[in-house]
Amino acid sequence: SIQYIPLISDWLNTININESINITAELFNINSCLYYIDLKFYNNQYHISLEKIVKTENVTGSRILEIDHYENIINYEDLWNNLLKDIHHKIGYDRMMIYQFLEDGSGKVIAEKKISSVESFLNLHYPKNDIPEQAKNLYLKQKRRIFSNVNSKEILLVSKHKDIDLSYFDSRSMSSIHRQYLINTNIESSFSTSIIIDGKLWGLVTCQNNSYKHIDLRDRIYSELLTNCVSKSYSILRSKNRNDY
């Protein structure tokens, strides 16, 4: 909102702004309401976003990634199942899947955690064009994406600039095609994190909920960081298996 601009300007005066700056999920108080504020620099522009905090308990405390148990995992299936279990503990979506991109560009659900009332998608295959190349490129840039409510209305962007890159914004809307796909499958909320192996998009942690669900930003970041750690564990395990062979 325009009325917040003076408050944000005052906050900017308190920090050292430079082109390498990257502030994520810093607490920001507006009229006794807590928000997360992000500040990034890319495409020769500074970008600021605000998101209202929905999970206020222990908001100032630190969160530690619990990853020690992954060191003892010796097969891929247990690795991905544990990742789904740990992320589910944080966000509790109805269906959570590991979606792997195969060599021909198609996709396959190789692991799943779900509630009993929803259909299983485990081992289902999807065609190459199920996720367009443009979307795959975006998943490399922004490793976490959320669509809290597929029935919510898009908010028009008002700006003096014609071309604004929203790739790194958590609040960026998803494509109308993906929205319609979710509606057709009776999904009202989705969240995903990217599984990146050797600099390439190997797959996704894909989460779906049958009703509206918004995840607090810190829990989304936690899920992203945990996915990154387990992706590295997968690379280490794969290298070990190749050497043993």
Side-chain angles (χ1 to χ4, degrees), residues 111-176:
E112 179 184 62
K113 182 174 179 59
K114 69 179 189 68
I115 61 175
S116 59
S117 59
V118 301
E119 179 185 2
S120 175
F121 289 172
L122 185 62
N123 294 322
L124 289 185
H125 284 77
Y126 294 85
K128 180 179 180 179
N129 59 0
D130 180 57
I131 299 179
E133 287 301 317
Q134 181 181 1
K136 291 178 182 178
N137 291 334
L138 186 59
Y139 281 123
L140 281 171
K141 289 183 177 181
Q142 175 69 344
K143 297 178 184 179
R144 63 178 186 270
R145 299 296 310 282
I146 188 168
F147 206 180
S148 301
N149 187 354
V150 300
N151 297 309
S152 61
K153 295 181 179 179
E154 294 182 350
I155 299 174
L156 293 178
L157 186 66
V158 179
S159 174
K160 295 179 180 178
H161 301 278
K162 292 183 178 180
D163 298 318
I164 298 180
D165 184 0
L166 300 179
S167 298
Y168 299 97
F169 279 74
D170 280 71
S171 56
R172 181 183 187 272
S173 178
M174 290 191 179
S175 72
S176 58

Side-chain angles (χ1 to χ4, degrees), residues 4 24 26 34 43 70 82 96 103 121 167 179 184 226 236 239:
Y4 298 158
T24 301
E26 182 164 316
L34 282 176
N43 292 348
Y70 287 98
N82 272 271
M96 302 177 57
E103 291 184 3
F121 289 172
S167 298
R179 178 196 295 268
N184 292 344
L226 185 58
I236 293 172
S239 296

Side-chain angles (χ1 to χ4, degrees), residues 92-245:
Y93 264 54
D94 292 339
R95 181 190 295 109
M96 302 177 57
M97 302 168 284
I98 301 295
Y99 182 104
Q100 181 185 3
F101 294 108
L102 305 180
E103 291 184 3
D104 62 359
S106 63
K108 180 183 178 181
V109 177
I110 63 169
E112 179 184 62
K113 182 174 179 59
K114 69 179 189 68
I115 61 175
S116 59
S117 59
V118 301
E119 179 185 2
S120 175
F121 289 172
L122 185 62
N123 294 322
L124 289 185
H125 284 77
Y126 294 85
K128 180 179 180 179
N129 59 0
D130 180 57
I131 299 179
E133 287 301 317
Q134 181 181 1
K136 291 178 182 178
N137 291 334
L138 186 59
Y139 281 123
L140 281 171
K141 289 183 177 181
Q142 175 69 344
K143 297 178 184 179
R144 63 178 186 270
R145 299 296 310 282
I146 188 168
F147 206 180
S148 301
N149 187 354
V150 300
N151 297 309
S152 61
K153 295 181 179 179
E154 294 182 350
I155 299 174
L156 293 178
L157 186 66
V158 179
S159 174
K160 295 179 180 178
H161 301 278
K162 292 183 178 180
D163 298 318
I164 298 180
D165 184 0
L166 300 179
S167 298
Y168 299 97
F169 279 74
D170 280 71
S171 56
R172 181 183 187 272
S173 178
M174 290 191 179
S175 72
S176 58
I177 296 175
H178 185 58
R179 178 196 295 268
Q180 192 58 52
Y181 167 78
L182 293 175
I183 292 174
N184 292 344
T185 54
N186 297 317
I187 301 299
E188 291 196 12
S189 178
S190 73
F191 170 66
S192 64
T193 59
S194 303
I195 301 173
I196 298 175
I197 308 293
D198 298 332
K200 298 180 180 180
L201 186 64
W202 183 93
L204 299 168
V205 178
T206 302
C207 312
Q208 300 174 342
N209 214 64
N210 289 341
S211 59
Y212 160 79
K213 189 179 185 70
H214 183 69
I215 309 170
D216 189 80
L217 176 59
R218 295 186 79 193
D219 286 339
R220 302 199 309 265
I221 293 174
Y222 181 97
S223 300
E224 177 193 359
L225 294 176
L226 185 58
T227 301
N228 291 345
C229 289
V230 176
S231 298
K232 293 176 182 177
S233 295
Y234 171 85
S235 295
I236 293 172
L237 181 59
R238 184 180 62 177
S239 296
K240 181 179 182 301
N241 289 342
R242 287 174 175 173
N243 290 335
D244 290 345
Y245 180 77

Side-chain angles (χ1 to χ4, degrees), residues 11-53:
W11 174 74
L12 289 172
N13 290 330
T14 67
I15 59 179
N16 180 26
I17 299 178
N18 55 71
E19 294 184 2
S20 62
I21 197 165
N22 187 349
I23 295 176
T24 301
E26 182 164 316
L27 300 184
F28 193 72
N29 193 315
I30 299 178
N31 298 330
S32 299
C33 289
L34 282 176
Y35 292 78
Y36 295 119
I37 189 167
D38 288 4
L39 173 61
K40 297 180 177 66
F41 181 86
Y42 60 92
N43 292 348
N44 296 316
Q45 292 178 332
Y46 290 99
H47 299 79
I48 298 174
S49 63
L50 286 172
E51 178 177 326
K52 194 171 184 178
I53 294 176

